[in-house]
Amino acid sequence: MREVSFGQYYPSGSKVHALDARVKLLLTIAFIVMVFLVKSLYAYIAVAAFILLVTLVSRVPVLKVLKSIKAIIFIVIIMSLINLFANAEGKVLWSWWILTISEGGIITAINLALRLIFLVMGTSLLTYTTTPMELTDGMESLMYPLKLIKVPTHDIAIIMSIALRFIPILMEEVDKIMMAQKARGACFDRGGVLKRAKALLPVLIPLFVSAFRRADELALALDARCYNATPNRTKYKQAKLGWGDLVATLVTGVFITLVVAVNNNFWGLY
Amino acid sequence: MQIKVENLKYTYSPKTPFEKVALDDISFTINDGDTIGIIGSTGSGKSTLCQHFNALIRISHGKIYVGEWELHAKKLNLGALRQAVGMLFQYPEYQLFADTVKEDVAFGPINFGKSKEDADILARYALELVGLDYDEIKDKSPFELSGGQKRRTAIAGIIASRPEVLVLDEPTAGLDPQGKKEILDLVTELKKSYVKTVIMISHNMDEIAEYCNRVIVLNDSKLLYDTTPRELFSDKEKLSLTGLEVPHAVRVKNLLEARGIVLQGTPLTSKEFVELFKGGAPCAK
Ligand SMILES: Nc1ncnc2c1ncn2[C@@H]1O[C@H](COP(=O)(O)OP(=O)(O)OP(=O)(O)O)[C@@H](O)[C@H]1O
Ligand SMILES: [Mg+2]
């Protein structure tokens, strides 16, 4: 089953994996909104606890979730630095030339970094526990209202799922072509940037050729089977809401309430 | 060049849910001059095994010696190794990329350090060897060739580097019978010149029977047999274990046997079958 290995899907058969993709999508959106509202340290601790809880229940290795940060660490650092110097509110702690670090700067920088990190961890939990196909189906279903104003939601969904389906195929293809060119002595990890970019041509050209060939074949195959995005298509996999979805929604709801309460110092913790 | 494989193991995506053991404790030796067939059902690990021979896959467990090279060593001169062990992938026409056929075929030699002029000479030689008209084809785009011509161009791209060992992953897949024969005859021809050893993956037992002097049978990532085609195809018990087909000549012989006409020996090709059927006597005009 190499197809599903794309993206990050990590099958462990947990309760989180079994949730309806639409519920997970909505809860993730709620989570993102919440993360952007958080401003107190205690609330961040609560968010971290929630992520840890979901990770444990989903049986995705904690390390894997942490690793998802790696991809954005640069953005986090750069954005934090910009904020650190741009915000000059509060007591000035250090200043040199045109650079000043103030209390306000530090707080906004930390806020931003934590928000981005939690954002990525939350969304990657979604992709770890949901296959790309489930995600697109879920999105299509959630886009239902748009259908009423004549947005071709089904076409959008099918385009998305074809694109997603093709990513692993093309990655496999890249693998194969790279190997074939390496067998002819190509070297992809030597020389400067320009040389490396040029070394990729023997991979990119066959890749594009094959992508177009596959697209042609797929279009033909769809036509040959009289595919058209008629309304009311049925689905092979019917998504159904279950008790688990209710529990997940409740848990998340309770948790969000908790964070909002902590955030507004409801109990006078600080 | 002798190739020696010792206790080779390979696992794809280890320590993940996608873990897949592709090779499990494989050991065998390929001698100089062998044409060795590697057979086994789909997913048995044939391609994975072959991609080890020129270090496209680095060894994670076990040892491989290719002539002087120790592929399990940390430091390895990949260029020299890959020049000596040429590898043709399944559907090699999908690797063509250059503006002209000539450039594409010269890609290998240039990568292996040949000058432009030498590479052109080698390209010309290789293209002529695979039966293409050099002057007619050299400036064409590889993408405007026919399927068979593309395959030949890709093969020329490998042999232009003058490998000593040729690894072929299903070289005849998707070709018509005539095209298949031409490719295999070309391999036979190459073996008379600088190619010393041929390693060939195939699902076509007729090809294996006719062209290989040895076969390796992989089954479920393990090495099942290391034998000769005649021995393998004459042993019904062995064959039933692997679920492999038999060459047509053997099949006809077995069908005859089922109807009471017993022939002694195992014919591997139609020619051998005819001879056997006639009692070994030469054809009378
Ligand atoms: N890049 C890869 N990542 C993960 N698993 C792989 C990869 N390549 C091959 N495999 C798996 O390893 C096993 C052996 O694959 P391999 O390609 O060596 O088989 P094969 O004998 O060449 O099959 P075929 O006759 O279909 O070409 C298969 O189960 C395959 O799914
Ligand atoms: Mg294969």
Side-chain angles (χ1 to χ4, degrees):
Chain A
M1 289 291 280
R2 270 156 82 197
E3 291 86 52
V4 287
S5 70
F6 149 65
Q8 308 179 296
Y9 188 64
Y10 186 96
S12 73
S14 77
K15 290 269 189 301
V16 180
H17 289 73
L19 292 180
D20 191 308
R22 291 168 293 182
V23 172
K24 277 190 270 190
L25 269 165
L26 288 178
L27 292 182
T28 309
I29 293 171
F31 173 83
I32 292 171
V33 172
M34 177 195 73
V35 166
F36 271 93
L37 293 177
V38 165
K39 48 187 192 289
S40 91
L41 179 65
Y42 291 100
Y44 278 124
I45 293 173
V47 173
F50 179 66
I51 289 192
L52 186 67
L53 177 83
V54 177
T55 311
L56 291 181
V57 175
S58 72
R59 295 207 296 268
V60 176
V62 178
L63 209 66
K64 245 189 138 59
V65 180
L66 284 177
K67 266 195 191 145
S68 62
I69 305 171
K70 224 167 79 182
I72 56 144
I73 198 76
F74 261 115
I75 301 176
V76 170
I77 291 174
I78 289 169
M79 296 277 277
S80 308
L81 280 180
I82 292 174
N83 271 277
L84 183 65
F85 293 116
N87 189 327
E89 282 165 33
K91 210 167 83 192
V92 172
L93 299 172
W94 179 83
S95 124
W96 173 77
W97 193 38
I98 53 164
L99 301 174
T100 6
I101 295 181
S102 68
E103 265 175 5
I106 291 179
I107 289 171
T108 32
I110 291 178
N111 256 329
L112 189 96
L114 285 177
R115 273 177 196 168
L116 281 176
I117 286 170
F118 285 134
L119 193 82
V120 168
M121 284 170 91
T123 40
S124 49
L125 264 176
L126 175 70
T127 48
Y128 277 136
T129 59
T130 321
T131 63
M133 284 298 148
E134 285 171 345
L135 271 182
T136 36
D137 276 355
M139 280 184 204
E140 184 189 352
S141 177
L142 289 178
M143 283 192 294
Y144 186 77
L146 292 178
K147 217 177 196 167
L148 302 179
I149 54 165
K150 296 251 157 53
V151 176
T153 53
H154 182 77
D155 291 346
I156 295 175
I158 196 83
I159 290 171
M160 264 166 51
S161 47
I162 288 176
L164 284 171
R165 182 63 192 79
F166 265 64
I167 290 172
I169 294 182
L170 291 181
M171 291 205 309
E172 206 174 299
E173 193 102 1
V174 170
D175 237 31
K176 251 195 235 155
I177 299 171
M178 274 182 116
M179 277 210 184
Q181 307 300 26
K182 272 189 198 164
R184 292 205 278 165
C187 197
F188 302 109
D189 47 11
R190 216 179 289 152
V193 179
L194 208 66
K195 200 167 168 205
R196 280 185 199 206
K198 228 182 128 193
L200 280 180
L201 269 187
V203 177
L204 291 180
I205 292 171
L207 181 68
F208 273 96
V209 171
S210 121
F212 282 118
R213 183 172 41 84
R214 279 179 195 281
D216 261 356
E217 281 168 8
L218 182 69
L220 268 178
L222 285 174
D223 255 355
R225 289 168 210 184
C226 301
Y227 178 88
N228 57 357
T230 41
N232 311 325
R233 284 182 69 85
T234 50
K235 285 227 165 64
Y236 173 56
K237 274 190 186 153
Q238 291 279 346
K240 264 206 210 98
L241 294 177
W243 287 109
D245 298 302
L246 184 64
V247 173
T249 313
L250 284 178
V251 169
T252 315
V254 166
F255 168 76
I256 290 180
T257 321
L258 193 88
V259 169
V260 171
V262 170
N263 203 28
N264 294 313
N265 202 5
F266 186 73
W267 292 295
L269 284 169
Y270 49 93
Chain B
M1 250 187 315
Q2 197 191 42
I3 299 178
K4 206 158 140 195
V5 180
E6 285 176 4
N7 307 95
L8 186 66
K9 281 185 198 163
Y10 190 78
T11 310
Y12 282 107
S13 332
K15 301 205 187 74
T16 71
F18 307 105
E19 185 171 285
K20 166 85 200 164
V21 177
L23 294 174
D24 193 359
D25 207 13
I26 307 274
S27 306
F28 64 98
T29 306
I30 302 171
N31 295 314
D32 219 0
D34 272 347
T35 300
I36 194 162
I38 297 185
I39 59 180
S41 50
T42 269
S44 53
K46 305 179 296 293
S47 300
T48 310
L49 173 63
C50 285
Q51 282 157 16
H52 276 89
F53 293 135
N54 60 350
L56 285 174
I57 297 181
R58 292 310 298 267
I59 295 174
S60 55
H61 188 280
K63 289 177 180 167
I64 298 183
Y65 302 89
V66 176
E68 301 282 293
W69 286 288
E70 295 181 0
L71 303 201
H72 43 280
K74 273 238 160 54
K75 266 190 92 67
L76 191 60
N77 184 348
L78 288 177
L81 173 71
R82 287 179 184 162
Q83 190 269 314
V85 183
M87 164 131 198
L88 188 77
F89 275 77
Q90 229 162 338
Y91 295 100
E93 48 274 28
Y94 296 154
Q95 74 189 32
L96 300 175
F97 72 96
D99 291 338
T100 67
V101 168
K102 186 173 82 176
E103 267 177 67
D104 205 293
V105 176
F107 180 66
I110 285 178
N111 282 332
F112 294 127
K114 291 272 185 296
S115 71
K116 182 111 191 13
E117 292 75 42
D118 288 350
D120 280 352
I121 294 169
L122 285 167
R124 173 184 203 121
Y125 176 76
L127 280 166
E128 278 169 356
L129 208 57
V130 298
L132 293 170
D133 184 342
Y134 178 76
D135 290 313
E136 191 194 309
I137 210 168
K138 68 175 200 286
D139 292 321
K140 280 196 180 166
S141 157
F143 297 107
E144 56 183 274
L145 303 179
S146 76
Q149 286 173 321
K150 276 187 196 162
R151 173 92 37 121
R152 282 152 184 272
T153 305
I155 295 177
I158 307 292
I159 60 183
S161 310
R162 296 195 150 230
E164 254 184 78
V165 178
L166 198 55
V167 183
L168 307 165
D169 195 343
E170 298 186 35
T172 60
L175 291 181
D176 60 54
Q178 183 59 28
K180 281 186 192 185
K181 192 168 153 22
E182 280 170 15
I183 297 288
L184 291 168
D185 287 345
L186 168 66
V187 173
T188 316
E189 204 52 44
L190 282 171
K191 266 212 78 185
K192 287 184 193 147
S193 54
Y194 51 85
V195 175
K196 303 250 168 50
T197 310
V198 173
I199 302 168
M200 179 164 99
I201 298 180
S202 181
H203 284 289
N204 184 328
M205 297 306 138
D206 284 314
E207 291 174 3
I208 298 286
E210 185 167 350
Y211 293 93
C212 298
N213 68 325
R214 272 179 66 199
V215 282
I216 297 279
V217 184
L218 293 186
N219 191 30
D220 199 9
S221 56
K222 291 194 180 58
L223 190 141
L224 199 59
Y225 304 120
D226 174 357
T227 171
T228 63
R230 203 174 299 278
E231 216 162 294
L232 177 72
F233 293 127
S234 55
D235 194 333
K236 286 194 193 114
E237 253 166 66
K238 271 188 184 172
L239 282 170
S240 68
L241 258 179
T242 58
L244 288 170
E245 302 233 332
V246 295
H248 280 102
V250 179
R251 200 151 99 216
V252 176
K253 183 208 151 201
N254 290 346
L255 285 173
L256 284 176
E257 211 164 277
R259 291 177 192 204
I261 306 170
V262 181
L263 297 174
Q264 288 307 321
T266 307
L268 291 178
T269 62
S270 49
K271 217 165 137 201
E272 278 182 26
F273 177 82
V274 172
E275 300 223 331
L276 192 67
F277 196 73
K278 290 186 169 171
C283 268
K285 267 258 157 87

